[in-house]
Amino acid sequence: MSGHDHDHPDPSDIALRVEAIESLLTEKGLVDPAKVDEIIRYYEKDVGPLNGATVVARAWIDPQFKARLLQDASSAIAEMGYGGPEASHVVVVENGPGVHNVVVCTLCSCYPWALLGLPPSWYKSPAYRSRIVREPRKLLREMGLDLPESTEIRVWDSSAEVRYLVLPERPPGSESMNREQLATLVTRDAMIGTAAVQKTR
């Protein structure tokens, strides 16, 4: 599922190809290098899983914020300064005892980028997009998340109109941790629903 079964070009080869394509497009006047640098900086500095983790950590310690998040996620997320097209129309689904949520985009790779950063390659793969719908328990087990048979698994299909974010369960033993400490526990995969949050990683 992780794509390890397939051959991948050496990362240095990919970097060289990207550099060559960028040089060609720049030479033809089709790309402004300053704009490219601006986009890269945006995704490196302003978006990423830490944004989503901060939202989750606040929901764990602030019941009123959590209620707003579950009722109108886009507005609650905007309170924290996160916005943009990929943070609009977000719906948060909460994990709890006996219920586990997992997100997919069966059509392409719709995803709340502003909260989770760039989507992982496996999220975009046809294998994940089809199998998580047909056999979620088996696939999650293969990805390292072995849920009890009694746990109901709910699969949510993101689209351009609605992008789902999982609110994972707060791990036992984290009661004394503050928001910043809690945020360090929350992973991108936990907010997609393919992993659980552990007290220590």
Side-chain angles (χ1 to χ4, degrees):
M1 187 67 255
S2 62
H4 294 164
D5 294 332
H6 305 286
D7 293 332
H8 293 283
D10 189 288
S12 60
D13 292 339
I14 295 175
L16 288 173
R17 290 179 196 175
V18 170
E19 186 176 343
I21 292 171
E22 182 180 348
S23 297
L24 182 61
L25 294 174
T26 301
E27 184 179 311
K28 291 182 175 295
L30 299 174
V31 164
D32 179 351
K35 286 292 182 186
V36 173
D37 290 343
E38 182 181 333
I39 292 170
I40 292 173
R41 187 208 61 76
Y42 174 70
Y43 281 103
E44 285 182 342
K45 304 293 183 183
D46 296 336
V47 305
L50 182 57
N51 292 350
T54 303
V55 171
V56 168
R58 181 176 175 185
W60 282 344
I61 63 175
D62 183 343
Q64 293 182 336
F65 175 76
K66 177 182 172 182
R68 295 196 299 278
L69 185 68
L70 294 175
Q71 183 175 20
D72 182 353
S74 297
S75 296
I77 290 166
E79 287 179 27
M80 299 185 68
Y82 305 131
E86 293 83 13
S88 301
H89 311 296
V90 173
V91 172
V92 173
V93 289
E94 182 183 15
N95 287 349
V99 176
H100 183 86
N101 297 282
V102 63
V103 178
V104 66
C105 174
T106 56
L107 291 178
C108 48
S109 58
C110 293
Y111 178 90
W113 289 25
L115 300 172
L116 299 183
L118 297 174
S121 58
W122 55 258
Y123 183 82
K124 299 179 284 187
S125 71
Y128 176 78
R129 287 154 47 196
S130 60
R131 290 189 63 203
I132 199 66
V133 175
R134 288 188 286 106
E135 47 185 10
R137 193 178 307 277
K138 181 178 179 181
L139 181 55
L140 289 175
R141 186 180 300 120
E142 291 175 15
M143 297 178 79
L145 182 60
D146 194 4
L147 296 169
E149 289 296 325
S150 58
T151 297
E152 177 189 358
I153 301 175
R154 299 173 181 170
V155 180
W156 300 89
D157 193 359
S158 278
S159 67
E161 289 74 31
V162 179
R163 297 164 193 260
Y164 293 97
L165 179 77
V166 174
L167 177 58
E169 288 188 275
R170 182 172 175 169
S174 64
E175 293 77 10
S176 63
M177 300 177 75
N178 61 32
R179 189 200 302 183
E180 290 73 22
Q181 292 169 326
L182 288 169
T184 65
L185 304 179
V186 184
T187 65
R188 174 201 63 199
D189 292 358
M191 294 181 279
I192 296 174
T194 57
V197 176
Q198 308 294 329
K199 183 173 182 295
T200 55
R201 289 192 289 155

